[in-house]
Amino acid sequence: MPSPLILVTGATGYIASLLIPQLLEKGYRVRTMARHPERLKKRTWYKQVEMIRADVMEPETLAAAMQGVQTAYYLIHNMSRGHGYTEAETLAAHNFSQAAEQAGVEHIIYLGGLADPEQHIAPHMRSRIETGVTLRKGSVPVTEFRAGVIAGSGSISFEMIRFMTELFPIIPGPIWLKNKSQPIAVQNVIDYLLTALTNSNGRGGVFEIGMRQVFIYTDLMKMYAKARGLKRGMFLLPYVPVWFMAFGIDLMTPVPYPIAHALVGGLSSDSMILHDTAEKTFPEVKLMDYESAITEAMKRLHPLRIERVWEDGSSGVKVLKHEGFFIDQRAMKVDIHAEKILNVVKRFDNNKDWLFANWLWKLRGALEGKQSDFYEVDFQNENMILFHSKLRSPGKGWMEWRVEEGLLIQTAYFAPYGLGGFLYWYLLAPVHTYLFRGLLETIAKKAVVQ
C-alpha cells in the first residue's frame, strides 16, 4: 500500500524548504506546489518530489494540485504583494479550502501567527488569524498552529534580529520592542507540523506554540549578541514611523520592504501563548530554549549548510544577504569540461599565484605580513571546490567555484562579525567587484587555453 500523498504549498518558502526533506525522510510521498516551481530545481530534494505549478489566487489551477492528496499543508502568505495583501490572503484561503473540499482532502495543516485576536493587533497578525478562520469555514478539518518569532537560520524574523544586532553597537528601535514574545525554535515548528499528521487528537484544533520562557523583543537581540560575543545596547524611541523602520530593515537585512513593513507593525502588540493546549495535545514535541535555538542557527553559518534559495540556473550576477552572509555570485555560460576548469581553480593561491590581479593580492599579503597561504580547501568534489579564507578580517569568508549545466558559477561568501564586518564588506565593494569579475573571466580563459 503506497504511503499517503502530502501536498506542501508555498514550496519556495522557508518553512516548506525545511519540512519537505523531513517528510521524505519519514517515507511520505510529497507533492509540492508553487507559482514558480522552476526556482526549486537546485534544491537537493527536487527530484524526490512531484512538482506542480499552481496559484491559490487562480482557483482553476488547484484541482490538479489536490488530486489524490490526503493532507495539505497551507504555508502561504501574501505579504510580499504590499498594499491589499490582507484581502488577498482571505481570498486565497477561501479558494484553497473550497478546492480541498471538492478534491476530498482529509486534513489541512496551517501555520499562522501568534497574537491575541481580542486585542488591537497589526493588520499582518489579524490577517494571519483571519486566514485560519477562513480555512475552517470549509468542511475539511484544519489544524492551525500559531507561532510568533521563529528562531532559526533563514527565518525572516530571526534574520532581522541577526543583521540588526550584528550591525548596530547601539540598536535603535521603537518602544514596541518592550512588548512580550514567546519565540519558537524552527525545528520545533517542523516537529509540530509533522506530528499533526499522525496525532489525531489535534485535528480541528487551534494551537498556540512557543517556548515556555517569556521575553521582550530587546531580550532576543541581547541574547543573540551574547551568543556572538558582541556587546549591544538599546536606544528606544517613543515613535518611529513604520515605513521608516521598514525602509531601514530593507536596506540592512535580507527582509524586503513589503514584508518588513508588515512584520514591524506586528511588534506593536504582545505575541504570547494564552492557551497552553499544544504541549498537552502534542507531548511528543520536546521544546528547545532560545539559547539552544541560537546555537543551532550558528551551526548553519557555513556555505554548505544554508538553503541556496537564490540559485535558479541562470547566468549573471546576484548580490544578496542571506542566512547571516553577504553573498556575491557570478555565473557565465561555458562549454568546457568541469575537470579542466577545476584544474585551473586548484592553482588559486598556489605558488603566489591568485590567477588574477596578483599585485593586489601581494599588497593584501604585505598588510598581513605574509605572501601566500591565504586560503585552504574546505571541500571539493568532481564539480566544485570551496576555499576557506585564512586572511584576517572582521568575519569569515569563503570562495567557491562550481561547474554545472553549462555554467561556471563563482560564489563569494562573507559572514560579517559586528559593525566592522559590515564596513569591511561595503567599503571594499569596488575592490571585490573588480576581483570577482576578473577571477571568473580569467579562470574561463585559462581553462580554454589548457
Side-chain angles (χ1 to χ4, degrees), residues 71 111 257 446:
T71 299
L111 179 62
Y257 179 87
K446 288 180 179 290

Side-chain angles (χ1 to χ4, degrees), residues 237-402:
L237 300 168
Y239 175 74
V240 183
V242 172
W243 69 265
F244 184 76
M245 287 188 287
F247 175 78
I249 290 169
D250 175 86
L251 192 65
M252 295 174 287
T253 81
V255 184
Y257 179 87
I259 295 178
H261 193 280
L263 292 180
V264 167
L267 299 175
S268 62
S269 59
D270 292 335
S271 181
M272 294 177 59
I273 294 172
L274 302 178
H275 309 283
D276 62 351
T277 54
E279 282 196 75
K280 297 174 183 177
T281 307
F282 302 99
E284 52 267 71
V285 176
K286 306 304 179 185
L287 293 174
M288 295 171 59
D289 58 33
Y290 189 65
E291 293 90 341
S292 299
I294 295 174
T295 299
E296 288 301 309
M298 293 301 100
K299 290 178 181 178
R300 288 178 61 110
L301 200 61
H302 187 283
L304 299 182
R305 299 189 189 115
I306 62 175
E307 285 286 332
R308 302 182 178 216
V309 297
W310 68 91
E311 293 193 343
D312 55 10
S314 63
S315 58
V317 180
K318 298 183 180 74
V319 180
L320 66 148
K321 297 179 282 288
H322 179 67
E323 292 199 45
F325 284 102
F326 290 118
I327 297 171
D328 182 302
Q329 183 171 92
R330 296 162 189 267
M332 64 185 297
K333 294 181 180 179
V334 293
D335 188 18
I336 312 169
H337 194 275
E339 183 180 4
K340 286 189 174 183
I341 292 175
L342 295 184
N343 281 339
V344 174
V345 172
K346 289 174 184 176
R347 287 156 46 191
F348 178 70
D349 192 27
N350 189 11
N351 293 324
K352 299 182 181 180
D353 182 12
W354 296 271
L355 305 178
F356 175 76
N358 279 350
W359 65 272
L360 197 54
W361 291 100
K362 290 177 181 178
L363 176 60
R364 176 63 189 272
L367 295 175
E368 298 215 7
K370 62 179 182 179
Q371 286 297 314
S372 63
D373 196 29
F374 294 171
Y375 286 83
E376 61 185 358
V377 175
D378 190 312
F379 176 84
Q380 72 178 83
N381 59 26
E382 65 275 10
N383 296 311
M384 183 187 90
I385 297 180
L386 176 68
F387 290 94
H388 180 228
S389 173
K390 297 164 68 175
L391 294 166
R392 289 199 300 268
S393 66
K396 294 182 178 180
W398 287 261
M399 288 293 297
E400 175 190 281
W401 285 274
R402 281 184 295 131

Side-chain angles (χ1 to χ4, degrees), residues 30 60 92 116 166 206 258 356 392 413 429 438 449:
V30 178
E60 68 276 7
D116 182 359
E166 292 280 354
V206 177
F356 175 76
R392 289 199 300 268
Y413 303 88
V449 173

Side-chain angles (χ1 to χ4, degrees), residues 150-204:
I150 296 177
S153 183
S155 156
I156 289 174
S157 49
F158 184 78
E159 294 306 318
M160 284 174 56
I161 290 170
R162 187 205 306 255
F163 275 80
M164 295 294 285
T165 306
E166 292 280 354
L167 174 58
F168 290 109
I170 304 296
I171 305 170
I175 200 70
W176 298 343
L177 292 179
K178 288 189 175 182
N179 287 334
K180 296 176 182 178
S181 172
Q182 283 180 266
I184 184 167
V186 65
Q187 184 54 52
N188 284 153
V189 174
I190 303 302
D191 293 338
Y192 276 117
L193 293 174
L194 289 171
T195 303
L197 280 173
T198 55
N199 186 333
S200 59
N201 294 328
R203 188 165 294 195

Side-chain angles (χ1 to χ4, degrees), residues 57 356 403:
M57 300 304 292
F356 175 76
V403 183

